[in-house]
Amino acid sequence: MPAFSDPSDHQAADQALLQPPLQNDSSAPSQPPLRLGVMASGNGSNFEALATAIEAGTLHAELVLLIVNNPGCGAVARAERLQIPHKVVDHRRWTIREELDQELVRTFQAASVDAVVMAGWMRIVTPVLIHAFADRLLNIHPSLLPSFRGLDAIGQALKAGVCISGCTVHLVSEELDAGPILAQAAVPVLDTDDHASLAERIHRQEHRLLPHAVQLAASRWTQG
Ligand code: GAR
């Protein structure tokens, strides 16, 4: 039985399921802005959500460098429009995952980033990257982890017939989509949902959740 069966009520449903308004860390501005690196493979809407939150003053950070693995992907166009430095590290040039990750580490370290956000990075990462940014590598995933790890989490949720799905921001560990959870938002699955409609509503919550989770992690790092 679906949690919300009236499609006209989906905004109310979103609100009913979501946590209270996300609070930001008021102590953050006394610190220098967090130097953030971002990795993206596709559209880049979560990358832009970080830029929007920085502009709005709700995330105390600077987007130092975007790395994409797909030349010409949407994230590149966003970076150009927002005038954020970006670089293509095309995974097709490497046959060994660890060597690709070594290049990512080198590039981010050369840019002196404090932390890295995987905002739609659709490649498996190795301990080379994970250990170089120990506890400072974040990932956003379109499900309520630990449910529906791996590829096409939204398709998995629809296939399983769950009533509630959502999104998760977590620290990256060696096990896929299994690191410590920083923040989650719930999204109802409606009777009428298809992949596109559910993805659209999950994205809306991701754009709200990701900057909040990064700020939360940053406040923990600065408190030691
Ligand atoms: C987001 O929904 C993100 O959760 C997902 O890719 C999308 C990227 O959207 N990530 C994964 O599935 C990682 N396993 P965007 O390019 O518009 O930010």
Side-chain angles (χ1 to χ4, degrees):
M1 188 68 176
F4 296 95
S5 54
D6 176 3
S8 66
D9 198 28
H10 69 188
Q11 271 196 331
D14 275 347
Q15 277 159 19
L17 279 172
L18 282 168
Q19 293 83 0
L22 302 173
Q23 301 295 318
N24 285 298
D25 173 21
S26 57
S27 66
S30 62
Q31 304 288 334
L34 184 72
R35 292 178 62 81
L36 264 190
V38 179
M39 295 158 60
S41 298
N43 182 22
S45 69
N46 280 288
F47 160 67
E48 182 156 355
L50 292 170
T52 304
I54 291 169
E55 182 66 28
T58 55
L59 172 59
H60 188 52
E62 180 186 351
L63 291 175
V64 173
L65 180 64
L66 167 74
I67 293 182
V68 301
N69 61 315
N70 290 319
C73 69
V76 170
R78 292 178 194 264
E80 281 168 357
R81 175 166 45 78
L82 296 165
Q83 299 185 300
I84 294 168
H86 56 280
K87 190 169 177 191
V88 177
V89 177
D90 186 339
H91 65 277
R92 297 163 194 88
R93 287 175 45 213
W94 283 268
T95 49
I96 298 169
R97 281 186 200 278
E98 284 77 6
E99 291 181 1
L100 166 67
D101 283 2
Q102 192 56 58
E103 177 66 13
L104 296 172
V105 170
R106 264 196 297 270
T107 308
F108 279 132
Q109 285 178 344
S112 302
V113 306
D114 298 318
V116 176
V117 178
M118 292 165 51
W121 181 258
M122 304 307 281
R123 311 289 308 166
I124 289 175
V125 296
T126 70
V128 170
L129 181 68
I130 295 166
H131 294 164
F133 292 98
D135 292 332
R136 286 177 176 242
L137 181 63
L138 281 63
N139 181 48
I140 183 155
H141 184 78
S143 76
L144 288 178
L145 290 173
S147 292
F148 312 128
R149 295 174 180 167
L151 279 180
D152 192 19
I154 293 171
Q156 291 184 55
L158 286 169
K159 195 167 169 205
V162 294
C163 301
I164 298 169
S165 191
C167 46
T168 302
V169 180
H170 65 97
L171 296 175
V172 178
S173 66
E174 289 188 29
E175 194 182 343
L176 182 68
D177 297 330
I181 290 171
L182 288 166
Q184 293 186 304
V187 173
V189 181
L190 306 177
D191 276 356
T192 50
D193 267 332
D194 58 15
H195 198 286
S197 64
L198 182 57
E200 200 273 320
R201 293 205 324 290
I202 289 178
H203 261 104
R204 221 184 298 151
Q205 294 310 323
E206 288 187 331
H207 299 163
R208 178 174 174 270
L209 189 72
L210 182 59
H212 162 74
V214 174
Q215 185 64 70
L216 183 72
S219 63
R220 288 182 190 167
W221 297 326
T222 54
Q223 282 160 18

